[in-house]
Amino acid sequence: IIYSWVFNEFPSFVSEDSRRFISQETGNLYISKVQTSDVGSYICLVKNTVTNARVLSPPTPLTLRNDGVMGEYEPKIEVHFPYTVTAAKGTTVKMECFALGK
């Protein structure tokens, strides 16, 4: 399975960069330091690489809050590593860790 995200409409796919990350483990889209240009509608696209079947999620809107309700967050580390990771010698292992807050 491959996860990707569409921004506003096809064929505008979200590109990963220093602010955007798509987890191929969970399909989650992470955006840091959200900007006005990030406002819009996001659709998750899941593709089965064996059958080429595709499934789209319903659109999820992203809006900015300007009322200060979100406030400041203390730093927090999100780690979802399995207790044990088994891999063959010479293969690549990817482990995801996220830090959030101000």
Side-chain angles (χ1 to χ4, degrees):
I1 288 179
I2 296 175
Y3 297 98
S4 56
W5 284 83
V6 176
F7 178 61
N8 285 333
E9 59 186 57
F10 284 105
S12 181
F13 284 89
V14 173
S15 298
E16 291 188 78
D17 56 27
S18 61
R19 292 190 320 107
R20 295 174 194 88
F21 173 74
I22 300 169
S23 169
Q24 291 303 313
E25 185 72 25
T26 64
N28 292 345
L29 169 63
Y30 296 90
I31 304 173
S32 65
K33 299 179 184 174
V34 175
Q35 302 171 356
T36 305
S37 61
D38 297 318
V39 171
S41 180
Y42 291 83
I43 297 172
C44 181
L45 171 65
V46 181
K47 179 183 175 187
N48 181 320
T49 58
V50 175
T51 65
N52 280 331
R54 297 170 186 226
V55 177
L56 296 170
S57 72
T60 301
L62 174 73
T63 58
L64 293 182
R65 295 187 75 147
N66 294 318
D67 57 11
V69 172
M70 298 304 284
E72 297 285 325
Y73 294 101
E74 75 254 5
K76 178 178 165 186
I77 304 293
E78 293 284 333
V79 180
H80 302 286
F81 296 144
Y83 182 73
T84 302
V85 176
T86 304
K89 183 178 179 179
T91 61
T92 300
V93 175
K94 183 175 180 182
M95 300 166 81
E96 298 175 354
C97 175
F98 300 96
L100 35 133
K102 289 187 176 182

